């Protein structure tokens, strides 16, 4: 897609929101442009936000499936998008120099620290109770073979194992870098696949990888009886879903609609609606409409 190609020069170690926008922002008009990352849950949340705003009379433009965080934050900077669903812990780790401060892990702690590092011209609205964390996940057979219950248990056997995740995960603290520095874990091989998506799930089920980075709300965990390894050192912080918006695009109508959505989102209902997209193959827009209707938001 054109946007992804335009932004592909943004490196994993760049500060994607360090500068003022180079071009005009769509926030200068009455239209709110909503973006999403390149995985199903992010697109579903983006569609929920879009329909909630449209129900309040806000004109919405959709720019979904942009790519990884490094790309969509750059799009927020240059005004290509105004709003997107984010995850408080992952966003904090991306924006804070050196990653999230030590000892910060709970939702309230993460939110407090996140607000300190948000770039000028952006803000977050109310965070939801819904949480979707990165996980290290293995098959039941692998867990039994190596007696795996926690990430720490991987340390003596990781040099025999292949791990799969999105390509950007290789350079992220909440990826290979953090696993090595916090847990002392180095895998035999890293296989670049997708961000907790079908490529990673399929590779895990087919034995092409031994460990996969899969999101905690993914229905494939229960469907395949995968084992999610516990994270005793809190490499993965609280990951509550929260709207990230350009301040210029916000107003009481926008914040009111989005805060109402956050008030209804839970980990349980998000998992249920996401399964309708991933497992039942229902249309994302139809599932978003059902969520809003069934929760009294439209």
């Amino acid at each position: 897609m054109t946007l992804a190609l335009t932004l592909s020069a943004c490196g994993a170690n760049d500060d994607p929101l360090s500068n003022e926008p180079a071009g005009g922002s769509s926030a200068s008009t009455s239209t709110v442009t909503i973006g999403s990352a390149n995985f199903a849950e992010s697109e579903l949340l983006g569609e929920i936000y879009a329909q909630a705003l449209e129900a309040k009379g806000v004109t919405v433009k959709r720019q979904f499936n942009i790519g990884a965080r490094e790309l969509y934050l750059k799009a927020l900077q240059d005004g290509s998008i105004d709003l997107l669903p984010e995850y408080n812990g992952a966003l904090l780790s991306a924006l804070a120099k050196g990653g999230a401060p030590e000892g910060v892990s709970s939702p309230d702690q993460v939110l407090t620290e996140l607000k300190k590092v948000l770039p000028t011209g952006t803000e977050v609205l109310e965070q939801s109770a819904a949480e979707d964390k990165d996980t290290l996940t293995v098959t039941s057979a692998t867990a039994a073979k190596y007696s795996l219950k926690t990430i720490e248990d991987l340390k003596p056997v990781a040099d025999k194992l292949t791990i799969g995740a999105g390509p950007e995960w290789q350079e992220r603290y909440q990826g290979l870098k953090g696993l090595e520095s916090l847990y002392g874990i180095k895998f035999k091989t890293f296989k670049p696949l997708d961000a907790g998506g079908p490529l990673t799930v399929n590779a895990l089920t087919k034995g092409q990888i031994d460990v996969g980075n899969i999101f905690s709300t993914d229905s494939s965990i229960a469907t395949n009886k995968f084992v999610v390894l516990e994270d005793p050192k809190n490499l993965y912080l609280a990951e509550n879903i929260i709207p990230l918006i350009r301040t210029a695009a916000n107003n009481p109508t926008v914040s009111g609609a989005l805060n109402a959505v956050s008030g209804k989102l839970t980990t349980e209902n998000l998992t249920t609606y996401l399964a309708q997209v991933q497992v039942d193959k229902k249309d994302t827009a139809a599932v978003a409409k059902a969520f809003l209707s069934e929760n009294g938001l439209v």
Side-chain angles (χ1 to χ4, degrees), residues 191-289:
K191 192 175 183 67
L193 296 166
D194 56 10
L199 295 180
T200 302
V201 172
N202 289 339
L204 193 59
T205 57
K206 293 178 180 178
Q208 296 167 348
I209 60 173
D210 304 293
V211 184
N213 171 226
I214 298 178
F215 302 132
S216 60
T217 59
D218 196 308
S219 57
S220 68
I221 293 174
T223 302
N224 295 286
K225 298 182 180 179
F226 290 153
V227 175
V228 174
L229 302 180
E230 296 175 18
D231 179 19
K233 295 187 177 182
N234 294 316
L235 173 62
Y236 303 117
L237 314 179
E239 296 290 1
N240 299 79
I241 293 161
I242 191 167
L244 173 63
I245 190 170
R246 291 173 60 82
T247 300
N250 194 16
N251 60 47
T253 300
V254 170
S255 60
L258 297 175
N259 288 342
V261 169
S262 292
K264 293 293 186 178
L265 273 173
T266 66
T267 301
E268 292 74 21
N269 66 25
L270 177 59
T271 302
T272 297
Y273 286 101
L274 181 59
Q276 293 180 26
V277 174
Q278 292 184 310
V279 179
D280 301 334
K281 306 301 180 185
K282 292 185 179 179
D283 177 67
T284 300
V287 174
K289 182 177 180 180

Side-chain angles (χ1 to χ4, degrees), residues 28-266:
S28 63
T29 72
S30 59
T31 299
V32 174
T33 301
I34 303 178
S36 83
N38 58 338
F39 55 91
E41 181 175 283
S42 183
E43 186 170 344
L44 174 60
L45 289 165
E47 183 62 35
I48 289 172
Y49 288 176
Q51 293 188 29
L53 291 176
E54 288 171 336
K56 299 298 182 182
V58 178
T59 301
V60 170
K61 179 181 178 182
R62 293 158 174 80
Q63 185 68 67
F64 295 159
N65 200 33
I66 294 171
R69 181 169 286 106
E70 292 79 7
L71 294 180
Y72 62 66
L73 289 184
K74 195 70 173 178
L76 197 69
Q77 176 209 7
D78 68 17
S80 300
I81 60 172
D82 302 307
L83 164 70
L84 71 154
E86 255 292 5
Y87 300 85
N88 59 3
L91 184 58
L92 172 61
S93 293
L95 296 177
K97 291 183 178 179
E102 187 175 350
V104 172
S105 60
S106 73
D108 288 343
Q109 289 172 333
V110 170
L111 181 59
T112 296
E113 294 300 321
L114 175 59
K115 288 181 177 179
K116 295 177 183 178
V117 296
L118 286 173
T120 301
T122 69
E123 58 190 276
V124 289
L125 303 181
E126 292 180 10
Q127 66 184 9
S128 71
E131 188 175 22
D132 185 3
K133 302 185 78 163
D134 283 271
T135 74
L136 291 193
T137 294
V138 298
T139 63
S140 298
T142 298
K145 180 178 180 180
Y146 296 109
S147 300
L148 301 177
K149 293 182 179 179
T150 73
I151 294 175
E152 218 157 20
D153 295 335
L154 286 166
K155 187 173 181 179
V157 298
D159 60 355
K160 305 174 185 176
L161 306 178
T162 296
I163 186 167
E168 65 282 350
W169 209 72
Q170 192 168 14
E171 297 298 325
R172 288 181 176 175
Y173 179 77
Q174 289 184 311
L176 296 189
K177 289 187 174 181
L179 286 168
E180 183 172 355
S181 63
L182 189 61
Y183 281 105
I185 292 172
K186 293 186 73 172
F187 287 93
K188 176 184 177 181
T189 308
F190 172 73
K191 192 175 183 67
L193 296 166
D194 56 10
L199 295 180
T200 302
V201 172
N202 289 339
L204 193 59
T205 57
K206 293 178 180 178
Q208 296 167 348
I209 60 173
D210 304 293
V211 184
N213 171 226
I214 298 178
F215 302 132
S216 60
T217 59
D218 196 308
S219 57
S220 68
I221 293 174
T223 302
N224 295 286
K225 298 182 180 179
F226 290 153
V227 175
V228 174
L229 302 180
E230 296 175 18
D231 179 19
K233 295 187 177 182
N234 294 316
L235 173 62
Y236 303 117
L237 314 179
E239 296 290 1
N240 299 79
I241 293 161
I242 191 167
L244 173 63
I245 190 170
R246 291 173 60 82
T247 300
N250 194 16
N251 60 47
T253 300
V254 170
S255 60
L258 297 175
N259 288 342
V261 169
S262 292
K264 293 293 186 178
L265 273 173
T266 66

